[in-house]
Amino acid sequence: MAKIAINIATGSLQQAEMIVGIDLGTTNSLVAIIHPETKKPIALKEHNSSSLVPSVIHFDELGNITVGEEAKKFLETDPANTIFSAKRLMGKSYNDIKQNANFFTYKVIDDDTESLVKVQVGSKFYSPIELSSFILKELKARAEHILKTPVTKAVITVPAYFNDAQRQATRDAGKLAGLDVLRIVNEPTAASLAYGLGLAADEEKTIAVYDLGGGTFDISILKITNGIFEVLSTNGDTYLGGDDFDRVIVEHWMTEFGITEDELHLNKELSQGLRLRAEEAKKYLSSNESFSVDFNGDNLSITKEKFESLIQSLIDKTLQCCVNAVKDSKVAISEIETVVMVGGSTRIPAVKKAVSDFFNQPVHDEVNPDEVVALGAAIQADILAGNNKDFLLLDITPLSLGIETMGGLMDVLIPRNSKIPTKVGRQYTTQKDGQGSMRISVFQGERDLVKDNRRLAEFNLTSIPGMPAGFPKVEVSFLINADGILVIKAKELRSGVEQSIEVKPQYGLTDEDVEKMLLESITHAKDDIAIRAIVEAKTEGEQILETTEKFLTKNSHIVSQPEMIATAQAMQNLQLALTMDDKDLIHSKIEELNEITRPFAERAMDAAVSGALKGKTV
Ligand code: ADP
Ligand code: MG
């Protein structure tokens, strides 16, 4: 039975449960809602404090956990027990992050390279999912405190390049925090929504979303058609952001006061003090010409002009990513109609000017850049709550998804760039008589052989009742739901046995990996096609040998002695051809054998044989 909530204080009926929008950021996280009266999105904050919750978690020696501003104070003074940037570890293996292992001042465990990373704090081990769940729990508690009502449903945003593993990890973190994650939305999509883009039914628009946060830079080119968001391309730098701007100011002061790297490294008070003042200076310079502060009797100062000259090369780096993104999107820069600024670091006037010059138009910066993603998530939440029924928001898959078929070939069910949600089904059959199970191995990637792609999952469809080879009809279906999570189902249609799994990929992919995989698929395309042709020919040859042999054992009475000898000879020739990587030779031997056996089949009209000659086997 559904319950109706009544506000005890006022006696009024509480409105339907609120679905919140959450921006789970690398540096800062926050919650937003649609205000029940004004119907406008607002970021939640306690009186007189910021809406931003630093994505930092501190563990004290008693095991107490603090999250946010309080935890941030321990970044330099207790680095081993203070976790920042947990988002960078989501859905990743140690292999994925090992080049950047120095970045983490806490202990990231290097155990089994293919499994998901763990973080060690004292004697305890935490997964990135658990760490993110601590941040989400804090956000949930804050929202409940402010709204004075339980919060159990949320929309959470992720970068557009997040793969299945990372989206699933984010979803799991929500679950662990006690949140039902109704949808995972791409950050640039959310930011666009906050600007009202994509909300008009017949709107068609190409948008660039420039997101410069604390430690990461993302540029996305989106196309909106009838309320559908399509990610045309993404690019960026996962280690470039506001922290680097702070760092150049610290280095400027170090040179000025003759402080060495070693001194800074050994003196945590000093490094913390300088970093905090550098960030303060940077923010101040976004709206003032010069900054100056007393620090232990010394005067730390910097002008806006100096700061801008120090960060110019970093800004140029982001513009190079924009060049690449525009190139990949296949749209001309002049066709980009709107540019949206996201992330705290886009407050810097020099950044705004550079981006505006690059895209040749004024940029959108009216909405608070640290809140814009969360505000968009709240709009999406409101649509899901049914308050705004006209819209359905979609995204696309960055890489192809398929299963392994005979000979290790990749059979693509959902090609890359398919709009999601999407569902595709395809039929397969067995290879051997009485085969009771079928292995379904799921891969992601663009190469023709599965060994060159990424294995996402594997399972056995068991309890297939005994039938001749080629007789069972196994329907394999892939469903990508609106969050980009893949559900694979295999069902034997004659018997009805079925099995399904949700994909929990073994390890994640970065956007560079995606790019690399796409590039490799192009450079290897010719070889891949040739190998595929050979594998297919061999598979066909093997199947024909098997069915012919079976046929002859069963139907020897309708085959004459000379025919039998000719068949055996043709089979031997084919067998020999299969040992060579020559598809044309194999095909010619298949044809020769077929020539001889064709009349037998006509004679016998064996349904099982014709069945076996059709259909693919897994
Ligand atoms: P993320 O999306 O990575 O969690 P945010 O969008 O919250 O990050 O951006 C945080 C960064 O924005 C920090 O480096 C912070 O110093 C920077 N920032 C915030 N306000 C300003 C400002 N007024 N001027 C320059 N940088 C700012
Ligand atoms: Mg962000």
Side-chain angles (χ1 to χ4, degrees), residues 95-152:
N95 255 353
D96 295 323
I97 56 117
K98 73 169 172 237
Q99 293 111 309
N100 299 301
N102 281 339
F103 173 85
F104 302 95
T105 52
Y106 46 89
K107 192 163 180 187
V108 182
I109 302 299
D110 174 13
D111 50 358
D112 175 15
T113 51
E114 291 215 347
S115 58
L116 296 172
V117 289
K118 285 238 182 291
V119 166
Q120 186 177 5
V121 181
S123 58
K124 287 209 167 144
F125 295 85
Y126 298 97
S127 68
I129 294 172
E130 288 172 283
L131 295 170
S132 294
S133 83
F134 294 138
I135 298 168
L136 290 170
K137 264 185 205 153
E138 173 71 21
L139 295 174
K140 179 178 188 282
R142 278 183 192 225
E144 289 175 338
H145 186 244
I146 295 165
L147 297 171
K148 310 265 180 289
T149 173
V151 170
T152 60

Side-chain angles (χ1 to χ4, degrees), residues 65-78:
I65 299 171
T66 48
V67 173
E69 213 57 63
E70 279 301 303
K72 208 177 162 183
K73 291 178 188 152
F74 294 101
L75 275 176
E76 275 94 353
T77 54
D78 191 16

Side-chain angles (χ1 to χ4, degrees), residues 23-28 30 87 157 159 187 211-214 216 218 342-344 369-370 373:
D23 173 3
L24 182 60
T26 309
T27 314
N28 294 304
L30 69 152
K87 184 174 179 178
T157 58
E187 287 161 12
D211 181 348
L212 190 57
T216 58
D218 297 312
V342 180
D370 342 276
V373 168

Side-chain angles (χ1 to χ4, degrees), residues 41 67 120 173 232 558 610 618:
V67 173
Q120 186 177 5
L232 296 182
I558 59 161
S610 56
V618 173

Side-chain angles (χ1 to χ4, degrees), residues 264-399:
L264 194 75
H265 192 70
L266 291 173
N267 189 341
K268 298 295 179 205
E269 303 263 291
L270 179 68
S271 61
Q272 170 126 321
L274 287 178
R275 187 186 56 79
L276 289 174
R277 276 155 192 87
E279 187 177 3
E280 197 187 320
K282 172 187 76 176
K283 290 183 180 173
Y284 189 78
L285 293 176
S286 287
S287 42
N288 298 276
E289 292 303 314
S290 68
F291 172 88
S292 142
V293 71
D294 178 80
F295 180 60
N296 303 337
D298 283 319
N299 179 258
L300 296 176
S301 69
I302 185 165
T303 64
K304 181 170 164 185
E305 204 186 342
K306 182 70 196 170
F307 173 61
E308 288 182 353
S309 76
L310 291 174
I311 63 168
Q312 193 52 53
S313 64
L314 297 172
I315 296 177
D316 289 345
K317 249 175 138 176
T318 70
L319 297 182
Q320 188 51 50
C321 296
C322 294
V323 169
N324 296 337
V326 171
K327 200 171 87 205
D328 290 351
S329 73
K330 304 272 191 307
V331 299
I333 205 161
S334 57
E335 291 172 80
I336 293 171
E337 299 159 270
T338 308
V339 181
V340 170
M341 299 297 263
V342 180
S345 302
T346 61
R347 285 222 178 76
I348 298 171
V351 171
K352 269 186 220 177
K353 177 160 190 319
V355 177
S356 166
D357 288 350
F358 179 86
F359 287 103
N360 233 326
Q361 60 187 291
V363 296
H364 273 288
D365 62 354
E366 309 88 83
V367 180
N368 182 335
D370 342 276
E371 293 182 348
V372 64
V373 168
L375 297 176
I379 294 172
Q380 170 70 82
D382 197 49
I383 294 170
L384 289 176
N387 300 336
N388 216 334
K389 286 204 172 64
D390 302 343
F391 315 109
L392 178 67
L393 300 169
L394 301 176
D395 285 304
I396 59 161
T397 57
L399 290 170

Side-chain angles (χ1 to χ4, degrees), residues 148-169:
K148 310 265 180 289
T149 173
V151 170
T152 60
K153 294 192 167 85
V155 166
I156 304 180
T157 58
V158 296
Y161 60 78
F162 256 30
N163 66 2
D164 288 342
Q166 294 167 304
R167 286 167 200 266
Q168 183 65 48

Side-chain angles (χ1 to χ4, degrees), residues 310-503:
L310 291 174
I311 63 168
Q312 193 52 53
S313 64
L314 297 172
I315 296 177
D316 289 345
K317 249 175 138 176
T318 70
L319 297 182
Q320 188 51 50
C321 296
C322 294
V323 169
N324 296 337
V326 171
K327 200 171 87 205
D328 290 351
S329 73
K330 304 272 191 307
V331 299
I333 205 161
S334 57
E335 291 172 80
I336 293 171
E337 299 159 270
T338 308
V339 181
V340 170
M341 299 297 263
V342 180
S345 302
T346 61
R347 285 222 178 76
I348 298 171
V351 171
K352 269 186 220 177
K353 177 160 190 319
V355 177
S356 166
D357 288 350
F358 179 86
F359 287 103
N360 233 326
Q361 60 187 291
V363 296
H364 273 288
D365 62 354
E366 309 88 83
V367 180
N368 182 335
D370 342 276
E371 293 182 348
V372 64
V373 168
L375 297 176
I379 294 172
Q380 170 70 82
D382 197 49
I383 294 170
L384 289 176
N387 300 336
N388 216 334
K389 286 204 172 64
D390 302 343
F391 315 109
L392 178 67
L393 300 169
L394 301 176
D395 285 304
I396 59 161
T397 57
L399 290 170
S400 301
L401 296 159
I403 67 168
E404 174 176 5
T405 52
M406 284 281 292
L409 292 178
M410 172 88 173
D411 198 22
V412 171
L413 277 94
I414 299 180
R416 69 181 284 259
N417 288 342
S418 296
K419 291 208 172 76
I420 55 176
T422 184
K423 192 180 175 197
V424 179
R426 194 168 295 169
Q427 273 187 28
Y428 299 88
T429 189
T430 51
Q431 196 193 344
K432 296 209 160 57
D433 286 341
Q435 187 176 327
S437 76
M438 192 185 268
R439 185 161 206 70
I440 311 288
S441 302
V442 184
F443 288 82
Q444 179 179 42
E446 309 310 310
R447 300 289 299 276
D448 281 292
L449 292 177
V450 294
K451 72 172 177 58
D452 298 316
N453 289 330
R454 295 221 146 191
R455 185 193 301 272
L456 292 184
E458 206 164 51
F459 68 100
N460 280 318
L461 175 65
T462 52
S463 315
I464 300 174
M467 284 183 258
F471 204 70
K473 285 186 177 162
V474 177
E475 165 104 44
V476 174
S477 67
F478 275 32
L479 169 82
I480 304 189
N481 63 25
D483 299 333
I485 289 168
L486 175 63
V487 180
I488 302 124
K489 192 151 107 186
K491 182 175 185 175
E492 203 292 301
L493 299 177
R494 295 182 196 273
S495 59
V497 293
E498 63 174 272
Q499 201 124 340
S500 75
I501 49 161
E502 263 195 28
V503 158

